[in-house]
Amino acid sequence: MIVTTEDPQHWIRDVVPPGEKRHIQYPISETYQGNNLELPVTIINGEYDGPWLFLSAAIHGDELNGVKVLQKAATRYQPDELHGGLICLHVLNVPGFIAHQRTIPIYDQDLNRAFPGNADGTTAARIAHEIYQRFITHCDIGIDFHTSTRNRTTLFHVRANTDDKRVERLALSFGANIIISGAGSRGMLRKEATDDGVPTIVVEMGKAHRFQSWLIEEALSGIESVMNEYGLLPDREVRWPGWFRVIEATTEKKWIRADNGGLVDMTWGPYPFVYEDDVICKISGHFDQEKNEVRAPFTGLLVGILENPVAVPGHPVCHLVRTDRSTKREIEAEIRRGEFLGYRER
Ligand SMILES: [Zn+2]
């Protein structure tokens, strides 16, 4: 086990001098057999000075789209073009990734509630501490990639505390069409890093347990846009989506839940935008009796939806975010132009 004692700045420079790129298996914890559990890390130290960006994936071990994004980003960029540096933390929750599950499989600990970590704490706190001290504190900005929880899917969007101007700049430069603004909870990597002076955003994209190529390409474009905005790649063309929206944390957003058990037929669509009182889904029994309709309590975007088509009372069926009047008009215009980015490939 590597114990973090020295200045991380020097450690990274010693291991990967300017102008070099290294793939490292970094010991992050140990197995029951006492062997190292290793976090795959790519460090690209640019030939020129500039800011450092971290990219991280699979802090929830079954959220895989980001893992593919990082594999591609780590391959794509070379030290001779970079002003600053790039750290790709390919799989943060190594034990969860091995077990195909969201949490660390030891007492179900959520690694994304354990930051900045504690060297004497729980398994999650120790892993978080090692990652945080070794890599995160070295960086100036960060992007943490997630997907929905299994059996659901989510629209491509950014979560960020846009009340913080430094975070707002990062969120806008990523260029996602939807930003949901909020501070986040204690222990989340994005909140703790941001509070500590490393503005960090989360990207939510699609489903767990899958590689969704069109979302992965969107994310890679977003990373390149961020690298251009912050001067890591000063000579690139910036991709700009042309339009985006920030949905404030104060805007009403809620998981709508089933009131009865049964088989779920989704009826919304083709776009994940519903008007007040629209039927979102119907829940019926096995003999096709009693179709219970779930209706939209307000006009808004379906940011998350259930994919596993069965429910019991209390089961979340969709995550609806209220849209104000101007956002509603923008979305309607985009739908008419065929530009609205929904759940399907454009
Ligand atoms: Zn997640």
Side-chain angles (χ1 to χ4, degrees), residues 122-161:
T122 62
T123 306
R126 290 173 191 226
I127 292 174
H129 174 78
E130 193 66 36
I131 292 166
Y132 199 80
Q133 296 304 327
R134 179 62 80 198
F135 301 108
I136 306 300
T137 57
H138 181 80
C139 293
D140 300 289
I141 48 174
I143 308 174
D144 184 30
F145 290 91
H146 289 246
T147 72
S148 66
T149 301
R150 69 195 169 90
N151 296 331
R152 300 180 195 164
T153 187
T154 184
L155 280 181
F156 188 84
H157 70 276
V158 161
R159 295 192 180 202
N161 182 9

Side-chain angles (χ1 to χ4, degrees), residues 20 33 45 88 163 196 256 260 266 296:
E20 292 194 18
Q33 289 89 348
N45 194 345
C88 297
D163 291 343
D196 234 359
I256 295 170
N260 61 299
M266 288 291 173

Side-chain angles (χ1 to χ4, degrees), residues 15-31:
V15 176
V16 190
E20 292 194 18
K21 169 170 168 172
R22 291 254 193 290
H23 301 296
I24 297 163
Q25 292 285 359
Y26 185 83
I28 202 70
S29 187
E30 295 181 11
T31 68

Side-chain angles (χ1 to χ4, degrees), residues 60 63 102 146-147:
H60 294 135
E63 299 180 2
R102 174 184 175 87
H146 289 246
T147 72

Side-chain angles (χ1 to χ4, degrees), residues 73-89:
T75 309
R76 177 173 290 187
Y77 298 109
Q78 307 308 328
D80 61 2
E81 61 187 339
L82 277 195
H83 295 240
L86 180 65
I87 297 179
C88 297
L89 302 161

